[in-house]
Amino acid sequence: MKGWKRLPDEAKAAINGRIRAERIAAKPPRKRLRKLGKKIRKLETKLEALRAEREALESARPAE
């Protein structure tokens, strides 16, 4: 940035803080993403088991 050396320390700190905040806002939290991914996989597994159970019950039901 042109004139960076002439800026007061407070202004530099404010700019650096804004840049840091923008980076944090733009980057999704990895830990939360991993946790959500794990929950989704667990739910998908459960859903698959429930669908298989439903299919087994439907096939065991007498034809009408």
Side-chain angles (χ1 to χ4, degrees):
M1 177 177 159
K2 191 174 183 178
W4 178 259
K5 290 181 181 181
R6 291 188 303 256
L7 284 176
D9 289 338
E10 296 82 23
K12 290 178 186 178
I15 292 169
N16 285 329
R18 190 180 73 232
I19 292 170
R20 217 174 283 117
E22 288 173 1
R23 278 190 195 157
I24 290 171
K27 188 168 82 174
R30 291 181 185 163
K31 187 174 182 179
R32 179 72 176 148
L33 287 174
R34 282 192 311 265
K35 190 173 183 179
L36 288 173
K38 186 177 179 181
K39 283 183 175 185
I40 289 169
R41 285 188 300 277
K42 190 175 180 180
L43 288 170
E44 286 173 342
T45 302
K46 188 173 183 176
L47 180 59
E48 186 178 323
L50 290 171
R51 284 182 174 150
E53 182 182 352
R54 180 183 66 184
E55 187 177 310
L57 289 172
E58 286 175 346
S59 65
R61 200 169 83 185
E64 294 177 10

